[in-house]
Amino acid sequence: DPVDGGQPTRMLATGLIPQAMPRSRQQREWLRLLRHRVWLVRLRTMTVNRIHAQLHQTGLTLPRERLLRKEGVRFLKETAWPLLTPEQRRIVRTHLRIITSLTRMIRGLDRIIRQTGQENAHVQRLCTIPGIGSFWGLLLVAEILPVNRFSSAAKFVSYCGLAPRTASSGGHTWHGALPADANRWVRWALISATATHVRRCPDTEFGRAYQALKARLGWKKARVAMARKLARVIYAMLKNGSGWNEGQSFRREDELLHTHAGRRQADRLTV
């Protein structure tokens, strides 16, 4: 009725109701592909953990990442197998077959993801960042685009769930935890990409900044802080159509936008 509709109308007129941006059909199809792979990996991890449970009951331990390698299978056959009971052997044998089948399906999806990423210019642009491959690049593109719906890098960082909650009172401001209702997929991708970046490229400017923050704040806060910086860089890259540049991770996003906008305008004038 007019009374109940008055408040939403005033909120809409003052810009308090954000615009809903539905994903395209292609983006939804990409997300189905990516989340299918995530579910298969989680299922394989659950199966691996059940084998580890049988080893622990026998007093044996094996690093979790080694069970999926040839040396882990060799350990099961040569060291663990004589110590397992008949029922434990049956459990391990069944679960190894499940792991083999799941690994085959995951590799098939990886090929599709890699091919899809090679056909998309945005994914290829994000893959120039150390730590981001076809999976993370396609996930970010599927979740983020169109990037023009974010009016600033700060709002994009909030959408990614990397801006901590704040509370102000009496001239004092407190920073709390990261919001739980943000896009957890984008936050997962950026934090994981940051961890891979600093592990593979520790001597870069980005890696050295992480090490400095880690020594002062601890690895958890340092990883989130650098993921927040990486989100600003990705926003500028998608906004401008530019590739990764090591130096741009330490420049303000408005300077990046101004620089690339001026460069495009100069190119048009030259033509």
Side-chain angles (χ1 to χ4, degrees):
D1 56 20
V3 177
D4 295 334
Q7 184 66 18
T9 303
R10 288 190 294 271
M11 294 176 64
L12 182 63
T14 55
L16 296 178
I17 299 180
Q19 182 182 4
M21 299 292 294
R23 296 187 179 94
S24 65
R25 182 176 182 179
Q26 188 179 41
Q27 286 176 294
R28 294 196 299 269
E29 194 69 8
W30 289 343
L31 291 176
R32 293 189 187 100
L33 170 65
L34 296 168
R35 291 171 185 176
H36 182 198
R37 183 191 183 279
V38 171
W39 185 82
L40 290 180
V41 172
R42 290 177 178 174
L43 185 60
R44 185 177 64 177
T45 303
M46 293 170 55
T47 308
V48 170
N49 290 338
R50 286 183 58 85
I51 296 180
H52 279 290
Q54 302 303 319
L55 295 178
H56 292 165
Q57 294 175 12
T58 315
L60 299 174
T61 57
L62 182 69
R64 294 188 178 275
E65 67 276 4
R66 293 186 180 178
L67 191 55
L68 296 176
R69 303 174 184 173
K70 293 182 179 180
E71 58 184 29
V73 177
R74 191 182 308 113
F75 173 83
L76 288 176
K77 293 180 179 179
E78 298 177 357
T79 305
W81 201 257
L83 302 177
L84 298 176
T85 64
E87 187 59 35
Q88 286 179 323
R89 294 177 182 177
R90 190 175 297 110
I91 293 174
V92 171
R93 188 184 301 111
T94 303
H95 284 58
L96 285 177
R97 293 175 181 173
I98 296 175
I99 292 173
T100 302
S101 178
L102 290 173
T103 301
R104 189 180 303 112
M105 289 186 284
I106 291 171
R107 290 176 179 173
L109 293 179
D110 285 338
R111 287 191 293 268
I112 299 175
I113 293 172
R114 193 179 307 111
Q115 180 180 358
T116 304
Q118 292 174 353
E119 298 172 354
N120 188 279
H122 296 293
V123 177
Q124 289 301 301
R125 186 172 298 113
L126 293 182
C127 286
T128 60
I129 303 175
I132 294 183
S134 300
F135 179 83
W136 294 129
L138 186 60
L139 175 61
L140 290 172
V141 167
E143 291 283 357
I144 292 172
L145 294 184
V147 73
N148 292 329
R149 58 187 171 134
F150 305 104
S151 59
S152 65
K155 292 186 177 181
F156 175 70
V157 170
S158 298
Y159 173 81
C160 296
L162 296 171
R165 297 181 181 274
T166 58
S168 300
S169 178
H172 298 280
T173 301
W174 294 268
H175 298 283
L178 297 178
D181 54 350
N183 192 318
R184 60 188 180 90
W185 293 95
V186 178
R187 178 164 57 192
W188 174 44
L190 292 175
I191 292 179
S192 299
T194 299
T196 304
H197 186 127
V198 299
R199 185 176 64 252
R200 294 183 178 179
C201 307
D203 297 329
T204 60
E205 194 174 359
F206 192 91
R208 289 192 297 269
Y210 168 78
Q211 294 298 333
L213 287 175
K214 177 182 176 181
R216 185 164 55 91
L217 302 175
W219 69 270
K220 290 184 179 181
K221 293 184 178 180
R223 187 173 296 181
V224 173
M226 296 308 295
R228 185 161 50 245
K229 188 179 293 293
L230 181 61
R232 291 177 175 272
V233 174
I234 289 176
Y235 174 80
M237 290 173 59
L238 294 177
K239 193 88 169 178
N240 309 323
S242 60
W244 166 258
N245 180 7
E246 173 64 19
Q248 73 182 11
S249 61
F250 295 90
R251 296 165 58 191
R252 292 177 56 85
E253 72 281 354
D254 52 355
E255 295 177 355
L256 284 169
L257 295 173
H258 177 73
T259 300
H260 289 280
R263 188 180 304 164
R264 291 198 304 270
Q265 182 177 4
D267 293 340
R268 288 195 299 267
L269 293 176
T270 302
V271 174

